[in-house]
mmCIF file of all heavy atoms in Angstrom:
data_model
loop_
_atom_site.group_PDB
_atom_site.id
_atom_site.type_symbol
_atom_site.label_atom_id
_atom_site.label_comp_id
_atom_site.label_asym_id
_atom_site.label_seq_id
_atom_site.Cartn_x
_atom_site.Cartn_y
_atom_site.Cartn_z
ATOM 1 N N LEU A 665 -9.159 2.587 17.449
ATOM 2 C CA LEU A 665 -8.141 1.573 17.161
ATOM 3 C C LEU A 665 -8.789 0.230 16.822
ATOM 4 O O LEU A 665 -8.315 -0.486 15.934
ATOM 5 C CB LEU A 665 -7.212 1.409 18.357
ATOM 6 C CG LEU A 665 -6.299 2.594 18.701
ATOM 7 C CD1 LEU A 665 -5.546 2.326 19.993
ATOM 8 C CD2 LEU A 665 -5.326 2.863 17.565
ATOM 9 N N THR A 666 -9.878 -0.088 17.503
ATOM 10 C CA THR A 666 -10.588 -1.338 17.234
ATOM 11 C C THR A 666 -11.114 -1.351 15.810
ATOM 12 O O THR A 666 -10.956 -2.339 15.081
ATOM 13 C CB THR A 666 -11.757 -1.514 18.219
ATOM 14 O OG1 THR A 666 -11.253 -1.439 19.555
ATOM 15 C CG2 THR A 666 -12.439 -2.844 18.006
ATOM 16 N N THR A 667 -11.733 -0.252 15.394
ATOM 17 C CA THR A 667 -12.231 -0.160 14.018
ATOM 18 C C THR A 667 -11.079 -0.117 13.027
ATOM 19 O O THR A 667 -11.155 -0.712 11.943
ATOM 20 C CB THR A 667 -13.110 1.093 13.862
ATOM 21 O OG1 THR A 667 -14.141 1.069 14.846
ATOM 22 C CG2 THR A 667 -13.728 1.148 12.472
ATOM 23 N N GLY A 668 -10.000 0.596 13.384
ATOM 24 C CA GLY A 668 -8.853 0.715 12.492
ATOM 25 C C GLY A 668 -8.143 -0.590 12.216
ATOM 26 O O GLY A 668 -7.425 -0.714 11.221
ATOM 27 N N ILE A 669 -8.314 -1.579 13.087
ATOM 28 C CA ILE A 669 -7.743 -2.899 12.812
ATOM 29 C C ILE A 669 -8.305 -3.453 11.513
ATOM 30 O O ILE A 669 -7.598 -4.116 10.738
ATOM 31 C CB ILE A 669 -8.044 -3.867 13.978
ATOM 32 C CG1 ILE A 669 -7.268 -3.449 15.226
ATOM 33 C CG2 ILE A 669 -7.699 -5.314 13.605
ATOM 34 C CD1 ILE A 669 -7.600 -4.260 16.452
ATOM 35 N N PHE A 670 -9.565 -3.140 11.234
ATOM 36 C CA PHE A 670 -10.233 -3.678 10.055
ATOM 37 C C PHE A 670 -10.210 -2.695 8.889
ATOM 38 O O PHE A 670 -9.987 -3.108 7.743
ATOM 39 C CB PHE A 670 -11.690 -4.038 10.391
ATOM 40 C CG PHE A 670 -11.815 -5.066 11.480
ATOM 41 C CD1 PHE A 670 -12.003 -4.684 12.802
ATOM 42 C CD2 PHE A 670 -11.718 -6.415 11.193
ATOM 43 C CE1 PHE A 670 -12.112 -5.625 13.813
ATOM 44 C CE2 PHE A 670 -11.822 -7.366 12.196
ATOM 45 C CZ PHE A 670 -12.022 -6.970 13.507
ATOM 46 N N GLU A 671 -10.449 -1.407 9.139
ATOM 47 C CA GLU A 671 -10.549 -0.430 8.049
ATOM 48 C C GLU A 671 -10.053 0.921 8.547
ATOM 49 O O GLU A 671 -10.568 1.461 9.526
ATOM 50 C CB GLU A 671 -12.011 -0.321 7.595
ATOM 51 C CG GLU A 671 -12.184 -0.085 6.104
ATOM 52 C CD GLU A 671 -11.835 1.339 5.702
ATOM 53 O OE1 GLU A 671 -12.214 2.266 6.437
ATOM 54 O OE2 GLU A 671 -11.186 1.515 4.663
ATOM 55 N N ILE A 672 -9.053 1.495 7.867
ATOM 56 C CA ILE A 672 -8.369 2.675 8.395
ATOM 57 C C ILE A 672 -9.181 3.954 8.223
ATOM 58 O O ILE A 672 -9.075 4.858 9.046
ATOM 59 C CB ILE A 672 -6.977 2.850 7.759
ATOM 60 C CG1 ILE A 672 -7.075 2.955 6.237
ATOM 61 C CG2 ILE A 672 -6.054 1.734 8.169
ATOM 62 C CD1 ILE A 672 -5.763 3.305 5.577
ATOM 63 N N THR A 673 -9.990 4.063 7.168
ATOM 64 C CA THR A 673 -10.736 5.300 6.960
ATOM 65 C C THR A 673 -11.728 5.533 8.096
ATOM 66 O O THR A 673 -11.806 6.628 8.664
ATOM 67 C CB THR A 673 -11.479 5.255 5.616
ATOM 68 O OG1 THR A 673 -10.547 4.993 4.567
ATOM 69 C CG2 THR A 673 -12.171 6.582 5.349
ATOM 70 N N LEU A 674 -12.498 4.502 8.444
ATOM 71 C CA LEU A 674 -13.449 4.617 9.550
ATOM 72 C C LEU A 674 -12.715 4.820 10.877
ATOM 73 O O LEU A 674 -13.141 5.610 11.725
ATOM 74 C CB LEU A 674 -14.325 3.370 9.624
ATOM 75 C CG LEU A 674 -15.288 3.140 8.448
ATOM 76 C CD1 LEU A 674 -15.998 1.801 8.602
ATOM 77 C CD2 LEU A 674 -16.301 4.268 8.353
ATOM 78 N N GLY A 675 -11.590 4.118 11.047
ATOM 79 C CA GLY A 675 -10.831 4.235 12.291
ATOM 80 C C GLY A 675 -10.285 5.624 12.509
ATOM 81 O O GLY A 675 -10.402 6.191 13.606
ATOM 82 N N THR A 676 -9.682 6.214 11.471
ATOM 83 C CA THR A 676 -9.125 7.569 11.604
ATOM 84 C C THR A 676 -10.223 8.607 11.800
ATOM 85 O O THR A 676 -10.037 9.591 12.527
ATOM 86 C CB THR A 676 -8.288 7.927 10.364
ATOM 87 O OG1 THR A 676 -9.061 7.693 9.173
ATOM 88 C CG2 THR A 676 -7.026 7.093 10.301
ATOM 89 N N LYS A 677 -11.369 8.392 11.172
ATOM 90 C CA LYS A 677 -12.488 9.325 11.349
ATOM 91 C C LYS A 677 -12.982 9.294 12.791
ATOM 92 O O LYS A 677 -13.233 10.344 13.396
ATOM 93 C CB LYS A 677 -13.631 8.963 10.402
ATOM 94 C CG LYS A 677 -14.773 9.987 10.380
ATOM 95 C CD LYS A 677 -15.787 9.627 9.321
ATOM 96 C CE LYS A 677 -16.842 10.731 9.190
ATOM 97 N NZ LYS A 677 -17.582 10.958 10.431
ATOM 98 N N ILE A 678 -13.114 8.107 13.372
ATOM 99 C CA ILE A 678 -13.544 7.993 14.766
ATOM 100 C C ILE A 678 -12.512 8.623 15.699
ATOM 101 O O ILE A 678 -12.863 9.305 16.672
ATOM 102 C CB ILE A 678 -13.782 6.521 15.128
ATOM 103 C CG1 ILE A 678 -14.967 5.959 14.333
ATOM 104 C CG2 ILE A 678 -14.046 6.353 16.620
ATOM 105 C CD1 ILE A 678 -15.169 4.466 14.491
ATOM 106 N N ALA A 679 -11.219 8.419 15.398
ATOM 107 C CA ALA A 679 -10.156 8.996 16.235
ATOM 108 C C ALA A 679 -10.222 10.518 16.247
ATOM 109 O O ALA A 679 -10.021 11.157 17.286
ATOM 110 C CB ALA A 679 -8.795 8.525 15.741
ATOM 111 N N SER A 680 -10.510 11.119 15.087
ATOM 112 C CA SER A 680 -10.556 12.579 15.004
ATOM 113 C C SER A 680 -11.767 13.166 15.725
ATOM 114 O O SER A 680 -11.791 14.365 16.022
ATOM 115 C CB SER A 680 -10.586 13.016 13.534
ATOM 116 O OG SER A 680 -11.798 12.615 12.902
ATOM 117 N N GLU A 681 -12.779 12.344 16.006
ATOM 118 C CA GLU A 681 -14.013 12.831 16.642
ATOM 119 C C GLU A 681 -14.063 12.553 18.142
ATOM 120 O O GLU A 681 -15.040 12.918 18.802
ATOM 121 C CB GLU A 681 -15.230 12.187 15.958
ATOM 122 C CG GLU A 681 -15.390 12.592 14.487
ATOM 123 C CD GLU A 681 -16.456 11.789 13.778
ATOM 124 O OE1 GLU A 681 -16.945 10.799 14.385
ATOM 125 O OE2 GLU A 681 -16.800 12.132 12.645
ATOM 126 N N THR A 682 -13.049 11.881 18.683
ATOM 127 C CA THR A 682 -13.062 11.569 20.115
ATOM 128 C C THR A 682 -12.688 12.794 20.947
ATOM 129 O O THR A 682 -12.189 13.794 20.420
ATOM 130 C CB THR A 682 -12.068 10.440 20.431
ATOM 131 O OG1 THR A 682 -10.738 10.871 20.109
ATOM 132 C CG2 THR A 682 -12.403 9.179 19.641
ATOM 133 N N SER A 683 -12.893 12.675 22.243
ATOM 134 C CA SER A 683 -12.541 13.757 23.166
ATOM 135 C C SER A 683 -11.109 13.647 23.676
ATOM 136 O O SER A 683 -10.697 14.419 24.543
ATOM 137 C CB SER A 683 -13.504 13.747 24.360
ATOM 138 O OG SER A 683 -13.450 12.501 25.037
ATOM 139 N N ALA A 684 -10.352 12.699 23.143
ATOM 140 C CA ALA A 684 -8.952 12.544 23.549
ATOM 141 C C ALA A 684 -8.141 13.739 23.081
ATOM 142 O O ALA A 684 -8.559 14.498 22.193
ATOM 143 C CB ALA A 684 -8.386 11.247 22.990
ATOM 144 N N SER A 685 -6.960 13.929 23.668
ATOM 145 C CA SER A 685 -6.101 15.042 23.271
ATOM 146 C C SER A 685 -5.634 14.869 21.832
ATOM 147 O O SER A 685 -5.603 13.761 21.300
ATOM 148 C CB SER A 685 -4.893 15.131 24.204
ATOM 149 O OG SER A 685 -4.093 13.967 24.071
ATOM 150 N N LEU A 686 -5.272 15.979 21.209
ATOM 151 C CA LEU A 686 -4.831 15.934 19.814
ATOM 152 C C LEU A 686 -3.591 15.060 19.624
ATOM 153 O O LEU A 686 -3.522 14.301 18.660
ATOM 154 C CB LEU A 686 -4.580 17.352 19.302
ATOM 155 C CG LEU A 686 -4.190 17.460 17.822
ATOM 156 C CD1 LEU A 686 -5.228 16.808 16.937
ATOM 157 C CD2 LEU A 686 -3.980 18.915 17.426
#
Side-chain angles (χ1 to χ4, degrees):
L665 293 174
T666 304
T667 306
I669 291 174
F670 300 95
E671 215 286 318
I672 58 173
T673 304
L674 294 175
T676 52
K677 188 174 186 300
I678 294 173
S680 66
E681 296 171 351
T682 62
S683 59
S685 64
L686 183 56

